[in-house]
């Protein structure tokens, strides 16, 4: 029995929301209710109004204050820094071309071949965006953005490829197409100069990566190993905000439960005022868009409360995900006990790239000492130390990542 328990998969997810959180100053009348961080400390903490949806799960989560990426604070545009949320790389607007590898991809490289999908990079917008306004949290070993998936139907198809003859047929077509590309490239190479040959080699390297992915998809399609696909409404656009976000969480839940993947990222919305997701708050009935909520908080009479209501909405969706995982029995505990989920933003107050608002949920069977509010000294600790510990909990044998300093984070991990 012990052997069976030890063979149960370990999973991790990283969830991001933009522009920081409502943090009214102590003298502000809205402080008591709408300050994002809880009252108290250690195990004697109390959520304020914006986070009360998480109350039923307080023994399964840690609230973390005082962590950020010291290396990544000099962008010249604070909405650029969040591109480094899962990498910690210093990203300077107009100067930095590539990011570095994100922690989810470090972890997923150790899971390769064990699951149908090495990772699930999700975002509400989808695609890559650019280095100064990213639409993905995931970056490959060369620091290039991995296009995030946003279309619910196509995510479902990727997950349940074995049960869809149409998808199998498409995979066959892709294989033929890649073979043709290789044949054409060989012919082309004979007539190219040295520099152009190098460009062609780079192109072929990316085709080789794609070929590996198609081969992997075909392998799992042929195995037909997935459980029966769940009945789920996928006819939802992201403009139907709550249903869309919850369906994203549902897909992550099913992927973890059926061991389709063990690593996922989800970007709820993107930084700054120009992203397609900037209007999410308006679509749930709020008067201001996300960017305005963060910028006008200190200027309007109820500004911090308005922003806090968005924080409350984000917490309610997160609680929905945590509940699904907790309500699912697995082995000697729940699915949540073997999932480590980090949710947070890459700013505290808008444009302040210190003291990220962070919640670590689940993972009790992975060594997470949950049920507390932990405050770190920003001068001695950084978020990359936590990334190393999450990776270690996932059996990834690294002792450094990004700007980590080797601190053990023993407050949070056994």
């Amino acid at each position: 029995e012990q052997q069976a328990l030890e063979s149960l998969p370990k999973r991790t997810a990283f969830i991001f929301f933009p522009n920081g959180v409502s943090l009214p100053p102590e003298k502000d009348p809205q402080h008591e209710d709408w300050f994002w961080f809880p009252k108290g400390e250690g195990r004697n903490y109390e959520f304020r109004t914006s986070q009360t949806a998480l109350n039923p799960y307080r023994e399964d989560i840690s609230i973390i204050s005082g962590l950020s990426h010291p290396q990544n604070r000099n962008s010249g545009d604070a909405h650029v820094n969040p591109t480094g949320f899962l990498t910690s790389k210093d990203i300077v607007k107009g100067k930095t071309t590539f990011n570095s590898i994100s922690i989810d991809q470090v972890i997923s490289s150790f899971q390769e071949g064990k699951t149908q999908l090495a990772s699930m990079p999700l975002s509400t917008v989808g695609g890559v965006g650019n280095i100064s306004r990213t639409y993905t949290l995931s970056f490959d070993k060369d620091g290039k953005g991995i296009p995030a998936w946003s279309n619910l139907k196509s995510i479902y198809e990727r997950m349940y490829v074995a049960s869809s003859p149409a998808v199998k047929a498409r995979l066959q077509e892709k294989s033929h197409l890649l073979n043709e590309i290789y044949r054409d490239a060989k012919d082309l190479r004979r007539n190219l100069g040295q520099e152009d040959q190098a460009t062609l080699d780079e192109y072929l390297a990316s085709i080789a990566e794609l070929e590996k992915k198609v081969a992997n998809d075909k392998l799992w399609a042929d195995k037909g190993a997935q459980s029966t696909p769940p009945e789920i409404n996928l006819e939802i656009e992201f403009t139907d905000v709550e249903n869309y976000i919850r369906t994203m969480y549902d897909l992550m839940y099913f992927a973890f439960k059926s061991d389709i993947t063990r690593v996922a990222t989800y970007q709820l919305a993107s930084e700054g005022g120009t992203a397609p997701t900037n209007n999410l708050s308006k679509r749930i009935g709020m008067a201001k868009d996300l960017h305005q909520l963060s910028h006008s908080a200190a200027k309007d009479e109820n500004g911090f409360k308005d922003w806090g209501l968005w924080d409350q909405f984000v917490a309610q969706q997160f609680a929905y995900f945590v509940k699904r995982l907790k309500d699912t029995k697995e082995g000697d505990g729940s699915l949540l006990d073997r999932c480590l989920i980090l949710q947070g933003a890459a700013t505290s107050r808008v444009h302040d790239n210190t003291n990220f608002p962070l919640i670590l949920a689940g993972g009790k069977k992975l060594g997470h000492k949950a049920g507390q509010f932990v405050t770190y000294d920003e001068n001695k600790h950084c978020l990359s130390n936590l990334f190393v510990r999450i990776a270690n909990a996932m059996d990834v044998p690294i002792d450094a990542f990004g700007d980590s300093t080797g601190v053990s984070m023993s407050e949070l991990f056994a």
Side-chain angles (χ1 to χ4, degrees), residues 105-413:
Q105 292 304 301
V106 171
I107 295 168
S108 80
S109 67
F110 281 83
Q111 304 287 345
E112 215 166 331
K114 293 179 189 169
T115 55
Q116 179 197 327
L117 300 173
S119 69
M120 280 172 69
L122 309 175
S123 87
T124 303
V125 185
V128 177
N130 56 53
I131 196 86
S132 63
R133 290 289 184 276
T134 186
Y135 293 170
T136 182
L137 296 179
S138 301
F139 292 82
D140 68 15
K141 63 184 188 320
D142 300 316
K144 292 177 182 168
I146 295 170
W149 314 338
S150 60
N151 181 287
L152 300 175
K153 265 188 183 161
S154 71
I155 297 166
Y156 185 87
E157 276 189 357
R158 284 173 194 262
M159 288 168 61
Y160 298 102
V161 61
S163 26
S164 167
V167 174
K168 276 182 151 178
R170 279 212 296 277
L171 287 172
Q172 205 59 45
E173 277 172 32
K174 282 180 183 174
S175 291
H176 291 320
L177 183 63
L178 291 172
N179 288 335
E180 279 178 33
I181 288 171
Y182 272 124
R183 275 202 304 275
D184 291 348
K186 272 185 179 167
D187 293 340
L188 181 63
R189 176 180 223 93
R190 295 188 194 106
N191 308 314
L192 291 179
Q194 229 170 342
E195 203 173 306
D196 289 334
Q197 279 189 13
T199 306
L200 183 65
D201 287 342
E202 201 178 306
Y203 170 68
L204 286 174
S206 62
I207 295 294
E209 284 295 311
L210 191 56
E211 197 172 37
K212 256 170 45 186
K213 188 198 168 314
V214 171
N216 183 60
D217 286 351
K218 279 179 75 177
L219 173 76
W220 287 92
D222 294 340
K223 277 185 181 176
Q226 294 84 347
S227 53
T228 312
E231 291 288 319
I232 182 170
N233 177 17
L234 302 163
E235 302 288 337
I236 300 169
E237 295 296 324
F238 80 82
T239 47
D240 180 0
V241 184
E242 184 168 65
N243 286 324
Y244 177 90
I245 291 174
R246 291 193 174 201
T247 307
M248 276 293 208
Y249 281 142
D250 287 340
L251 291 170
M252 285 162 71
Y253 162 78
F254 287 122
F256 284 161
K257 182 170 176 262
S258 303
D259 202 24
I260 291 168
T261 195
R262 296 177 187 175
V263 183
T265 55
Y266 179 35
Q267 186 190 60
L268 267 80
S270 309
E271 283 284 322
T274 55
T277 46
N278 191 36
N279 273 330
L280 293 189
S281 46
K282 284 189 164 181
R283 293 190 183 278
I284 59 167
M286 303 180 78
K288 298 172 186 146
D289 65 39
L290 292 180
H291 198 231
Q292 288 167 340
L293 281 175
S294 60
H295 276 278
S296 61
K299 297 169 192 160
D300 295 2
E301 191 186 344
N302 288 317
F304 283 113
K305 178 186 174 182
D306 291 343
W307 193 1
L309 288 167
W310 170 255
D311 294 343
Q312 188 175 58
F313 175 80
V314 171
Q316 286 162 352
Q317 311 324 308
F318 188 56
Y320 169 84
F321 184 42
V322 171
K323 182 182 192 310
R324 284 218 78 173
L325 295 167
K326 188 174 171 67
D327 287 350
T328 303
K329 295 280 164 273
E330 184 188 61
D332 54 352
S334 71
L335 186 53
L336 182 64
D337 291 333
R338 283 183 173 81
C339 291
L340 256 182
I341 303 153
L342 182 72
Q343 186 209 45
T347 45
S348 45
R349 292 181 169 84
V350 68
H351 292 187
D352 181 348
N353 303 115
T354 64
N355 190 23
F356 296 172
L358 300 169
I359 297 173
L360 188 65
K364 280 185 179 176
K365 301 282 183 191
L366 310 187
H368 174 209
K369 300 197 283 203
Q372 49 176 339
F373 174 28
V374 180
T375 301
Y376 284 104
D377 177 346
E378 198 109 29
N379 297 316
K380 296 179 188 164
H381 295 83
C382 63
L383 179 52
S384 292
N385 290 331
L386 179 56
F387 288 169
V388 171
R389 286 312 304 263
I390 291 172
N392 295 162
M394 291 288 293
D395 298 328
V396 177
I398 58 171
D399 50 23
F401 176 82
D403 56 1
S404 68
T405 55
V407 176
S408 72
M409 295 275 159
S410 56
E411 301 80 7
L412 285 168
F413 283 91

